Amino acid sequence: MARRRRELSPSNIKLKQPDRSGPSEKTLLQLADERGLFEQARRREEANKKKDKKAGEKDQVDQDEAEMELSPATERLLETLLWSVSITMLHFTFDVLVQHQYSVNRIEWPKVWARTGQALLVFAMLVYTLHLHPSSPRIVPGLPDRFQPAIRQVVFFAISICAGCYLIHITNNFGYLAVMKQAPPVGCLWVWSVIELELPWAVLGLAIDGLFLWWRGYDIK
């Protein structure tokens, strides 16, 4: 036992220089370079940088668009303003044309502007209440949503028939004073209701107005 310990003692181990001749086979770096792994890694890194850059630009654009988006209530008010101003401009045109045709004296512009302001307020309330907007799709509270579009079309269909027939009636039976006061707002209601209707309902409404004109023996003046 003592002899074996002497044989394994450090004094019995022979010293030897390390092998500095280098590896006899290809290293992992050389194998990777031969297979183009470094080039593939570089291309992948560049592609990831481009992808991250595009994603960052898209996020910035989305953030800017989100900041520019308006609330539904604001969008409804702006849309109401657009529609009401457009209809009021039509009312102003009708008013001037009727005044030019029927008025004995020259056109009284202060009264025309006063009637235009009144028309703007009235049509703003009507458009805000009746015009379809995503933030307020219901025209009749408590009614299921699937019936709301049909109810809206029925309302505008009734307005188009009543306004059209009444406009034909007053222009053929009433005096010039009644025509000057009533024709512009009634005409605007007629035009607006036809625009709000779907095409089949609009054509049907105009056909009914034409039948009323033929039935009463009126002329278009």
Side-chain angles (χ1 to χ4, degrees), residues 91 95 99 107-118:
H91 179 278
D95 196 359
Q99 293 287 328
I107 300 176
E108 298 180 359
W109 290 106
K111 294 183 178 180
V112 172
W113 289 114
R115 288 191 293 268
T116 301
Q118 294 173 359

Side-chain angles (χ1 to χ4, degrees), residues 87-104:
I87 300 173
T88 304
M89 292 174 62
L90 181 63
H91 179 278
F92 174 81
T93 303
F94 285 167
D95 196 359
V96 172
L97 292 176
V98 170
Q99 293 287 328
H100 180 74
Q101 182 176 357
Y102 291 97
S103 180
V104 178

Side-chain angles (χ1 to χ4, degrees), residues 45 78 88 188:
E45 184 178 0
L78 292 177
T88 304
C188 289

Side-chain angles (χ1 to χ4, degrees), residues 3-198:
R3 184 179 181 181
R4 183 176 296 178
R5 289 179 179 176
R6 284 197 302 269
E7 290 177 355
L8 296 177
S9 62
S11 59
N12 296 331
I13 298 176
K14 295 181 179 181
L15 299 177
K16 185 184 293 185
Q17 292 290 334
D19 186 5
R20 296 186 176 87
S21 61
S24 58
E25 298 180 355
K26 294 181 179 180
T27 62
L28 294 177
L29 294 178
Q30 292 173 342
L31 292 174
D33 188 30
E34 290 179 356
R35 296 182 180 181
L37 298 180
F38 294 116
E39 183 66 21
Q40 293 178 10
R42 186 182 63 80
R43 292 177 180 176
R44 190 179 297 109
E45 184 178 0
E46 292 179 356
N48 291 334
K49 288 181 179 179
K50 292 180 180 179
K51 186 177 180 181
D52 294 339
K53 184 178 180 181
K54 290 181 179 179
E57 293 176 354
K58 184 178 180 181
D59 293 340
Q60 183 65 32
V61 171
D62 294 340
Q63 184 178 358
D64 295 339
E65 291 179 353
E67 292 177 354
M68 295 176 62
E69 287 183 356
L70 301 175
S71 63
T74 305
E75 289 182 355
R76 187 181 182 186
L77 290 175
L78 292 177
E79 188 171 357
T80 299
L81 181 63
L82 176 63
W83 276 87
S84 58
V85 169
S86 301
I87 300 173
T88 304
M89 292 174 62
L90 181 63
H91 179 278
F92 174 81
T93 303
F94 285 167
D95 196 359
V96 172
L97 292 176
V98 170
Q99 293 287 328
H100 180 74
Q101 182 176 357
Y102 291 97
S103 180
V104 178
N105 302 320
R106 62 180 183 179
I107 300 176
E108 298 180 359
W109 290 106
K111 294 183 178 180
V112 172
W113 289 114
R115 288 191 293 268
T116 301
Q118 294 173 359
L120 178 61
L121 295 177
V122 173
F123 284 116
M125 289 187 294
L126 290 175
V127 171
Y128 187 84
T129 305
L130 299 178
H131 180 68
L132 176 64
H133 192 272
S135 65
S136 180
R138 292 190 174 187
I139 188 173
V140 179
L143 199 65
D145 292 341
R146 64 178 181 273
F147 297 121
Q148 297 294 332
I151 295 296
R152 194 181 303 275
Q153 290 295 301
V154 169
V155 171
F156 282 112
F157 183 70
I159 293 175
S160 68
I161 294 176
C162 295
C165 294
Y166 186 70
L167 181 63
I168 295 171
H169 177 69
I170 63 175
T171 53
N172 284 272
N173 292 311
F174 290 9
Y176 71 95
L177 290 177
V179 173
M180 285 192 299
K181 291 181 178 180
Q182 300 182 35
V186 175
C188 289
L189 276 177
W190 189 13
V191 173
W192 175 48
S193 60
V194 173
I195 293 175
E196 291 283 359
L197 287 172
E198 296 177 357

